[in-house]
Amino acid sequence: MKRRNLYFTAFAVIAIALSVFAVFDFNDAERRLCDAGVYDMLSPELVEIYEREIAGQSIVSSKTQAQLDRAAGRLGIDINKLKAIMLLQDLAGRVNRDISLDELAAMSDMKLLGFFKQCGDEYLATLTEERRSELKKMLTDCIKFPVRF
């Protein structure tokens, strides 16, 4: 089996999310961008798309900066990773995979990406082809990368 490219956006998200369920064909420049900070790619626009189109409620945007700072400090992670795992925790719950923020924060980035892919694939399987196409277009327009799923 061909070795899978483990860079997703999303979380996007992760760039969640890694851009919510996105798997990309990265060129070298795009790969360097992700290596520089995959969680930094989780833009407010991606969070908004996730909250509006997937969650139907506020997950991250309702939190104050002080709340985010405290939670990130308690978990020993930065704010962008906190936002990504908050979205991932919500996504996991949507496919009946209950997991705590503590457990997600303790995972390596590679494990998080793998878990994100599993949850994303399971979630996408519940959607119609039309809905998947709508999400794909929204994500591609937002992140300016081709999204495949």
Side-chain angles (χ1 to χ4, degrees):
M1 180 176 186
K2 185 178 175 182
R3 186 172 180 201
R4 289 189 179 197
N5 182 342
L6 295 177
Y7 293 98
F8 306 98
T9 296
F11 267 156
V13 281
I14 179 183
I16 327 29
L18 293 181
S19 291
V20 193
F21 326 121
V23 179
F24 302 98
D25 285 326
F26 287 120
N27 64 33
D28 287 336
E30 294 162 339
R31 184 172 286 113
R32 283 193 301 275
L33 174 63
C34 287
D35 289 343
V38 69
Y39 301 110
D40 293 338
M41 293 180 66
L42 184 59
S43 68
E45 295 81 14
L46 283 173
V47 171
E48 179 186 344
I49 289 172
Y50 183 88
E51 290 178 341
R52 182 184 67 234
E53 301 295 332
I54 309 295
Q57 63 182 355
S58 175
I59 305 296
V60 173
S61 61
S62 64
K63 306 297 185 227
T64 66
Q65 188 62 44
Q67 289 172 318
L68 294 171
D69 288 339
R70 278 192 304 274
R74 184 183 65 79
L75 295 168
I77 59 177
D78 69 30
I79 297 290
N80 289 335
K81 185 171 182 177
L82 173 65
K83 291 176 182 178
I85 67 172
M86 288 171 71
L87 297 177
L88 179 55
Q89 181 187 41
D90 179 78
L91 178 62
R94 293 178 188 286
V95 294
N96 298 316
R97 291 177 176 244
D98 293 328
I99 189 163
S100 71
L101 288 177
D102 291 308
E103 291 172 296
L104 290 170
M107 286 184 186
S108 70
D109 290 349
M110 297 303 271
K111 281 195 169 218
L112 281 171
L113 290 171
F115 186 64
F116 171 77
K117 176 151 178 37
Q118 289 173 348
C119 294
D121 288 346
E122 289 175 31
Y123 181 77
L124 286 171
T126 69
L127 303 178
T128 65
E129 185 61 38
E130 180 181 354
R131 184 65 178 136
R132 282 192 296 272
S133 293
E134 290 171 357
L135 283 174
K136 181 178 178 176
K137 180 175 180 355
M138 281 184 255
L139 294 172
T140 297
D141 291 348
C142 181
I143 62 173
K144 310 296 189 255
F145 284 88
V147 176
R148 288 185 309 141
F149 47 72

